[in-house]
Amino acid sequence: MTDKLTATATPTPVLTPDAPDMENTVGIDMGLKSFLVTDAGAGVKIPQHYRKAEKRLKRLQRSLSRKHRGSLRRRSAIKRVSKAHLKVSNQRKDFHYKTANKLLSQGKHVAHEKLNIKGIARTRLAKSTHDAGWGQFLQILSIKAERAGLLAIAVNPNGTSQSCSRCGAKVPKTLLDRLHVCPECGLTLLRDHNAAINIKYLAVGHSVNKAQVTSDAVAGVTEKPTLMLTHTV
């Protein structure tokens, strides 16, 4: 009688990310002028898939509203509207995947601001927020970072736009102010570039703008309070 061999499953190796530091981390600031800007000053444009398709979507919706309920023409119109919305959704998701891949191809952790997506969506920026799809992008970034053995680090954005990334001085700005000009040290940068540097500092434990890391990062996104590193799945 032959002995039965019991197969044992080989455990999947777990990648342990290095602790974030100034060399292995990139900071990004997300906005409405650019989809994101890195701490090196590189920007990614917002493709605005929805806004570009908006006229056609409205035309299809008007055509649908004129069709009689239950008719074959109405069913065909519904399919056309759904197909048009699906195309926009797929274009946006493809852009998010490509952007996340490009960021992570550097082999670095990515620090980003923790966004209150639901709160922003209730403001006049709702349409632009939906078109950018920040929430979906952050989820994709988190998943792909984990698979690459890297971290997506969410930090509290409070003060990142208002503080100078060189000297820490408070430089008040409105949403219309796109340039950071520090009256203390003279640093002049694009607002989003300055914020991205501050976000990176927070992620690696520096306290340039004295902001504190929150405890409720975007679901699935890693958060790093001070120097203690946690990883949330």
Side-chain angles (χ1 to χ4, degrees):
M1 182 175 175
T2 51
D3 294 332
K4 293 183 179 179
L5 298 178
T6 304
T8 55
T10 304
T12 303
V14 178
L15 297 174
T16 303
D18 295 328
D21 59 36
M22 293 298 291
E23 298 300 319
N24 68 9
T25 304
V26 57
I28 62 171
D29 180 69
M30 290 174 287
L32 296 176
K33 293 295 182 182
S34 296
F35 182 73
L36 64 82
V37 174
T38 72
D39 64 274
V44 176
K45 293 182 179 180
I46 298 178
Q48 295 185 323
H49 295 115
Y50 178 79
R51 288 186 181 274
K52 289 177 181 178
E54 195 169 14
K55 286 185 179 179
R56 181 168 184 270
L57 289 170
K58 286 182 177 179
R59 188 169 64 250
L60 289 172
Q61 194 65 47
R62 283 197 301 269
S63 175
L64 170 61
S65 66
R66 291 194 293 266
K67 302 295 187 290
H68 295 293
R69 291 186 178 277
S71 69
L72 289 176
R73 286 187 176 183
R74 183 177 176 83
R75 275 182 249 170
S76 296
I78 290 173
K79 287 182 180 179
R80 285 195 294 271
V81 171
S82 298
K83 188 176 180 180
H85 278 287
L86 181 60
K87 181 180 179 180
V88 172
S89 177
N90 287 339
Q91 286 176 326
R92 185 184 296 118
K93 184 178 290 187
D94 181 64
F95 165 71
H96 289 160
Y97 271 106
K98 287 178 178 176
T99 303
N101 283 335
K102 187 172 182 179
L103 277 174
L104 296 170
S105 67
Q106 303 175 56
K108 295 183 178 183
H109 307 310
V110 180
H112 64 84
E113 57 197 312
K114 178 197 174 292
L115 295 176
N116 180 5
I117 305 294
K118 291 182 179 179
I120 298 173
R122 288 193 292 267
T123 69
R124 61 187 178 83
L125 302 176
K127 187 181 292 186
S128 296
T129 301
H130 174 71
D131 202 7
W134 292 324
Q136 176 177 266
F137 170 71
L138 291 178
Q139 292 290 353
I140 290 171
L141 179 66
S142 174
I143 293 169
K144 296 189 76 65
E146 182 177 5
R147 290 174 180 171
L150 298 169
L151 299 173
I153 308 165
V155 302
N156 190 330
N158 291 342
T160 53
S161 293
Q162 307 296 326
S163 300
C164 180
S165 59
R166 177 185 286 171
C167 69
K170 296 296 180 184
V171 185
K173 306 176 187 69
T174 68
L175 285 174
L176 297 177
D177 296 323
R178 304 315 305 169
L179 197 64
H180 168 83
V181 181
C182 181
E184 298 294 330
C185 69
L187 179 66
T188 301
L189 290 174
L190 289 175
R191 174 199 183 108
D192 296 344
H193 184 186
N194 178 71
I197 296 172
N198 281 330
I199 288 168
K200 176 178 177 176
Y201 283 157
L202 286 176
V204 303
H206 291 198
S207 56
V208 173
N209 59 7
K210 309 300 181 185
Q212 297 298 312
V213 178
T214 57
S215 60
D216 55 345
V218 175
V221 181
T222 303
E223 181 177 356
K224 178 181 177 296
T226 60
L227 295 179
M228 295 294 291
L229 185 64
T230 60
H231 193 87
T232 305
V233 178

